[in-house]
Amino acid sequence: MSLAEPLGCVMHAHSRLGVNAWDTVVIIGAGPIGLLHAAVCRLQGAQKIILLDVNPARLEKAAHFDIDATVLVKMDGAHRDEVARLTQGFGPDVVIVAVSAASAAADALVIAGKGARVCLFAGLPKSNPTAALDLNQIHYKELSVSGSFSEKKSDFQAAFALLQGGRFPAEKFITHHLPLARINEAFPLMESGEALKVCILPQLPSS
């Protein structure tokens, strides 16, 4: 149950976000955590889920999940315009920052719609924890901005029950299986975005 702990952390955030069937959700970061958020949003009935990332390989992986649209983050800021287009100019109701990048936190405030809930799920490196944010975005849009860290016992229990219940697409997160002797191959697979989760087995079963 390698997914239970990170899923518990995700569910801890969602216990306060209150995603529902009226919501359009933007998730910044298409790694395993971002996709866990997307899967939980879908189970909560989100109307539309849009996923952003700088890595095309990660966005390609997201096509295997129930995502409505993927957007490649670009240096010129064109991704912000694309989110506006995909939301008919209103912006999303919920924005989840699932990547440790100051620029992602700044983007979240800009792309958020009026009255949106913004969750800073990913922290920044302790060596450089500051970000340049347009605070007028919070003021004039009346945004609710919150952080989320770790999980409670009840969150872990809820995640474990969800994984056991069969409604959560856990199998989609395990993209590679490697024997223990090849464990060093797992790290570049994860870093490149080619893999989401790598399952390490003592010995692969013979075909």
Side-chain angles (χ1 to χ4, degrees):
M1 286 298 174
S2 62
L3 290 177
E5 191 278 332
L7 180 57
C9 295
V10 166
M11 295 187 75
H12 179 65
H14 282 263
S15 67
R16 289 176 292 165
L17 274 174
V19 175
N20 58 57
W22 290 269
D23 287 332
T24 292
V25 181
V26 164
I27 300 166
I28 305 176
I33 293 296
L35 290 172
L36 285 172
H37 276 290
V40 171
C41 286
R42 187 58 76 199
L43 288 174
Q44 291 174 318
Q47 184 180 123
K48 180 182 286 187
I49 300 172
I50 303 168
L51 202 61
L52 277 64
D53 203 280
V54 298
N55 189 331
R58 288 203 182 279
L59 294 178
E60 186 177 344
K61 278 285 183 294
H64 301 290
F65 292 79
D66 192 5
I67 306 296
D68 295 290
T70 60
V71 178
L72 183 65
V73 174
K74 298 182 178 179
M75 292 293 293
D76 63 2
H79 55 284
R80 296 192 288 269
D81 296 332
E82 180 63 7
V83 170
R85 186 189 71 80
L86 289 168
T87 58
Q88 291 77 51
F90 292 102
D93 306 288
V94 176
V95 184
I96 301 169
V97 180
V99 61
S100 297
S103 58
D107 276 346
L109 302 184
V110 173
I111 66 179
K114 178 78 172 180
R117 291 100 72 198
V118 178
C119 175
L120 302 178
F121 185 84
L124 297 179
K126 292 183 178 180
S127 59
N128 188 18
T130 60
L133 304 177
D134 181 354
L135 297 185
N136 276 345
Q137 298 286 338
I138 300 175
H139 175 72
Y140 289 110
K141 292 182 184 176
E142 299 181 331
L143 303 181
S144 297
V145 181
S146 64
S148 185
F149 173 71
S150 193
E151 62 186 326
K152 297 181 295 184
K153 180 181 177 181
S154 58
D155 300 316
F156 180 84
Q157 291 171 331
F160 191 82
L162 185 59
L163 290 168
Q164 289 290 310
R167 295 175 58 226
F168 193 83
E171 71 286 346
K172 293 184 179 180
F173 286 85
I174 309 299
T175 55
H176 292 72
H177 294 81
L178 292 174
L180 183 58
R182 296 171 56 193
I183 189 172
N184 287 338
E185 297 177 29
F187 301 105
L189 284 171
M190 297 284 291
E191 291 170 358
S192 68
E194 184 178 345
L196 291 176
K197 291 288 186 179
V198 180
C199 183
I200 304 297
L201 303 173
Q203 182 176 352
L204 286 179
S206 57
S207 55

